Amino acid sequence: MSWLQHTFQEYPELAVFLTLSAGFFIGSIRVGKFSLGSVTGVLLMGVIVGQMDIQVSANVKSVFFLMFLFAVGYSVGPQFFRGLKKDGLPQVLFAVLMCVVCLVAPWLLALACGYNVGQAAGLISGSQTISATMGVASDTINQLNVSAEQKAAWINSMPVCYAVTYIFGTAGSAWLLSSIAPMMLGGIEKVRAACKELEKTMGAGDPTQDPGMRSAFIPVTFRAYTIDAQSTAAGKSVKQLEAELLQRNHRLFVERIRQKDKKLVEATPDYVINPGDEIVLSGRREFILGEEHGIGTEIVDVELLNFPVENVQVFVMNKNVVGKTVKALRAMDYMHGIPVQSIRRAGIAMPVYPEAVLERGDHVELVGYKKNMDKAAKEIGYADIPTDKTDMIFVGLGIVLGGLVGAMSIHVGGVPLSLSTSGGALIAGLVFGWLRSQHPAFGRIPEPALWVMNNVGLNTFIAVVGITAGPSFVAGFKEVGWGLFLVGIAATAIPLLSGVLMARYIFKFHPALILGCTAGARTTTAALSAIQEEVQSNLPALGYTITYAVGNTLLIIWGVVIVLLMT
């Protein structure tokens, strides 16, 4: 054991990777619907590993923390700035007010309980489940005019309070918003009914919908048929056949035609289908199954079915599409034969209803015959071509510029105030993420790379925090006691329940939006999933993205504010 301790002390990087590995494993263990999550798992493992008195350079956590914050800003930047427009202002204002409550409630509770600066920062970070607040608070503490010993004591007390309050902050938030909040809105049945009513106005349940209209994926299929004299297609043009099928609520398309002499011809609208022709139909599987006997005899023909079909992610950019409904988009000529598979906004899956409005920067997933896709993608915006390369010029420049701005300080009453390099990186991420949405030809960060920046960046920072605080963790826990858990419950519940009341009586949002906006302002994705499951609707996601962007920004900045308030 002494050899292992000596090795980790000499090579602290190994201790960091041990903490990450074990922490992710612990965080993945589920008891019913509850799990600690990777962040808490890594923190607790870091505390255990830290008992071996391992010294890790503070620069390690700084590098990974800056990377994480830039990725956060990059992800939510488009929605953050979109929310500043007229139609998003009510949700922005709601998120700001709720975030103020998220700051004030833990602050007042910390004062009432006599907590120090670090304990207050840990309380707000854990109860609001925003781990990055600890990093920003640490940077701010390091700027204070106090002794190095005092700074270390405050910073080391943060993870204690974070760990104790994070558990209810996560699980409790999901329970409060999925169970208690609907009761405050008239009961779960009333909320479900309101969601169903709103879904109807948005066209949900229309049998003519394309794949992706509900959470269970419905694959698009391509099937080949031989046309005989008795076929409903014989003697009709391609346009007439598709129109006849659509009248029966079967949105199917003729993609390819091979004539009786085995010559492949283009499926133009005016082409008349003759007995002996072989055609390929595309569409939802159940629609084709319902028509196969009337169309003809199905055949398996590699040559006929061997043609390129693409799934393409397209940025909504063109002004002729921004603000249109999904139904209006489908009616465009260039969308012939192309179903809308899914829509994602700020990484969140949106319900794809006919009356759902497309916004600039949305990711629309299209699937269809390759020859049609290029034109459709060009008309909608910009095709996000899959790549595994990250634009590191963009990333590196963004972090440097943000860090330089954040490092600038002003003196108020002799106290130096600044965003710190971490706050600057977050702001830079917001701006650069917005620039990417406006000019998607540059600044790409693929989803896997963004996951690494977000998860590995944050958890490496947390691992170093846990290892550094390990030796003093037990003493710190004895100091705050189990009463902190009850304080954490109050710090979590007060903002959430206040948010529901504000959204209902002040902003008068729809019940589905009330739940989504409240979850978004508190940046609790787990709660959003629980809400959607409980109300049996995806509509709460419509209120999540803008408030999430605002909440993710303000709650991190509160790391600066809580330190200033407590000092």
Side-chain angles (χ1 to χ4, degrees), residues 155-172:
I155 291 174
N156 287 339
S157 66
M158 268 191 247
V160 180
C161 297
Y162 171 86
V164 173
T165 57
Y166 182 86
I167 296 175
F168 186 84
T170 301

Side-chain angles (χ1 to χ4, degrees), residues 40-177:
T40 305
V42 168
L43 176 61
L44 294 178
M45 194 62 205
V47 169
I48 295 173
V49 173
Q51 301 306 310
M52 290 186 279
D53 194 20
I54 299 167
Q55 301 299 316
V56 183
S57 171
N59 292 333
V60 175
K61 67 177 183 180
S62 296
V63 168
F64 282 93
F65 191 56
L66 291 179
M67 183 171 66
F68 159 72
L69 287 177
F70 182 83
V72 168
Y74 178 91
S75 299
V76 304
Q79 292 308 305
F80 181 86
F81 287 101
R82 191 193 71 76
L84 300 180
K85 297 181 180 179
K86 183 177 179 181
D87 59 337
L89 282 178
Q91 292 187 21
V92 170
L93 181 58
F94 166 78
V96 170
L97 290 177
M98 185 172 166
C99 285
V100 170
V101 180
C102 290
L103 169 67
V104 172
W107 172 52
L108 294 178
L109 288 167
L111 289 177
C113 296
Y115 293 157
N116 64 38
V117 177
Q119 291 167 340
L123 172 63
I124 189 173
S125 183
S127 63
Q128 311 309 312
T129 64
I130 193 79
S131 312
T133 303
M134 285 197 295
V136 177
S138 297
D139 288 346
T140 307
I141 288 174
N142 283 323
Q143 298 179 40
L144 298 177
N145 188 24
V146 298
S147 67
E149 292 77 12
Q150 184 66 77
K151 292 178 183 177
W154 285 344
I155 291 174
N156 287 339
S157 66
M158 268 191 247
V160 180
C161 297
Y162 171 86
V164 173
T165 57
Y166 182 86
I167 296 175
F168 186 84
T170 301
S173 295
W175 174 70
L176 286 168
L177 288 179

